[in-house]
Coordinates of all heavy atoms in Angstrom, one line a residue:
R82 N -11.3 2.3 20.2 CA -12.5 2.0 19.3 C -13.7 3.0 19.7 O -14.0 3.1 20.9 CB -13.0 0.6 19.4 CG -14.1 0.2 18.5 CD -14.5 -1.2 18.6 NE -14.7 -1.7 20.0 CZ -15.8 -1.5 20.8 NH1 -16.7 -0.7 20.3 NH2 -15.8 -2.0 22.0
S83 N -14.3 3.5 18.6 CA -15.5 4.3 18.8 C -16.5 3.7 17.8 O -16.3 3.9 16.6 CB -15.3 5.8 18.6 OG -16.5 6.5 18.7
G84 N -17.5 3.0 18.3 CA -18.4 2.3 17.4 C -17.7 1.2 16.7 O -17.0 0.4 17.3
S85 N -17.7 1.3 15.4 CA -17.0 0.3 14.6 C -15.6 0.8 14.0 O -15.0 0.0 13.3 CB -17.8 -0.2 13.4 OG -18.1 0.9 12.5
V86 N -15.3 2.0 14.4 CA -14.0 2.5 14.0 C -12.9 2.4 15.0 O -13.1 2.7 16.2 CB -14.2 4.1 13.7 CG1 -12.8 4.7 13.3 CG2 -15.2 4.3 12.6
R87 N -11.8 1.8 14.6 CA -10.6 1.5 15.5 C -9.5 2.5 15.0 O -9.3 2.7 13.8 CB -10.2 0.1 15.3 CG -11.2 -0.8 15.8 CD -11.0 -2.3 15.4 NE -9.9 -2.8 16.2 CZ -9.1 -3.8 15.8 NH1 -9.3 -4.3 14.6 NH2 -8.2 -4.3 16.6
V88 N -8.8 3.1 16.0 CA -7.8 4.1 15.8 C -6.6 3.7 16.5 O -6.6 3.4 17.7 CB -8.2 5.5 16.3 CG1 -7.2 6.5 15.9 CG2 -9.6 5.9 15.7
A89 N -5.4 3.7 15.8 CA -4.1 3.5 16.4 C -3.6 4.8 16.8 O -3.5 5.7 16.0 CB -3.2 2.8 15.5
V90 N -3.2 5.0 18.1 CA -2.7 6.2 18.6 C -1.3 6.0 19.3 O -1.2 4.9 19.9 CB -3.6 7.0 19.5 CG1 -4.9 7.4 18.8 CG2 -4.0 6.2 20.8
T91 N -0.4 6.9 19.1 CA 0.9 6.8 19.7 C 1.2 8.1 20.4 O 0.7 9.1 20.0 CB 2.0 6.4 18.6 OG1 2.1 7.5 17.7 CG2 1.7 5.2 17.9
T92 N 2.1 8.0 21.4 CA 2.6 9.3 22.0 C 3.7 9.9 21.2 O 3.9 11.1 21.3 CB 3.0 9.1 23.5 OG1 4.0 8.0 23.5 CG2 1.8 8.6 24.3
G93 N 4.5 9.1 20.5 CA 5.5 9.7 19.6 C 5.0 9.9 18.2 O 4.0 9.3 17.8
R94 N 5.7 10.8 17.5 CA 5.3 11.1 16.1 C 6.1 10.3 15.1 O 7.3 10.2 15.3 CB 5.4 12.5 15.8 CG 4.4 13.4 16.5 CD 4.7 14.8 16.1 NE 3.6 15.7 16.7 CZ 3.2 16.8 16.2 NH1 3.7 17.2 15.1 NH2 2.3 17.5 16.8
S95 N 5.5 9.8 14.0 CA 6.2 9.2 12.9 C 5.4 9.1 11.7 O 4.1 9.0 11.8 CB 6.6 7.8 13.4 OG 7.2 7.0 12.3
Q96 N 6.0 9.1 10.6 CA 5.2 8.9 9.3 C 4.9 7.3 9.4 O 5.6 6.6 10.1 CB 6.2 9.0 8.1 CG 6.4 10.4 7.7 CD 5.1 11.0 7.0 OE1 4.4 10.3 6.4 NE2 4.9 12.3 7.1
V97 N 3.8 7.0 8.7 CA 3.4 5.5 8.7 C 4.2 4.9 7.5 O 3.8 5.1 6.4 CB 1.9 5.4 8.6 CG1 1.5 3.9 8.5 CG2 1.2 6.1 9.8
F98 N 5.2 4.1 7.9 CA 6.0 3.5 6.9 C 5.6 2.0 6.7 O 5.9 1.4 5.7 CB 7.5 3.5 7.3 CG 8.1 4.8 7.4 CD1 8.3 5.4 8.6 CD2 8.5 5.4 6.2 CE1 8.9 6.7 8.6 CE2 9.2 6.7 6.3 CZ 9.4 7.3 7.5
D99 N 5.0 1.4 7.7 CA 5.0 -0.1 7.8 C 3.7 -0.5 8.5 O 3.2 0.1 9.4 CB 6.2 -0.5 8.6 CG 6.6 -1.9 8.4 OD1 5.9 -2.8 9.1 OD2 7.5 -2.2 7.7
R100 N 3.2 -1.7 8.0 CA 2.0 -2.3 8.6 C 2.2 -2.6 10.1 O 1.2 -2.7 10.8 CB 1.6 -3.5 7.8 CG 1.0 -3.1 6.5 CD 0.6 -4.3 5.7 NE 1.6 -4.6 4.7 CZ 1.7 -5.7 3.9 NH1 0.8 -6.6 4.2 NH2 2.6 -5.8 3.1
N101 N 3.4 -2.9 10.5 CA 3.7 -3.3 11.9 C 3.3 -2.1 12.8 O 3.1 -2.4 14.0 CB 5.1 -3.7 12.1 CG 5.4 -5.1 11.5 OD1 4.4 -5.8 11.2 ND2 6.6 -5.4 11.3

Side-chain angles (χ1 to χ4, degrees):
R82 182 178 49 78
S83 179
S85 62
V86 176
R87 296 166 74 207
V88 182
V90 295
T91 63
T92 54
R94 290 181 176 208
S95 174
Q96 283 285 333
V97 179
F98 294 102
D99 198 279
R100 288 179 258 172
N101 285 345

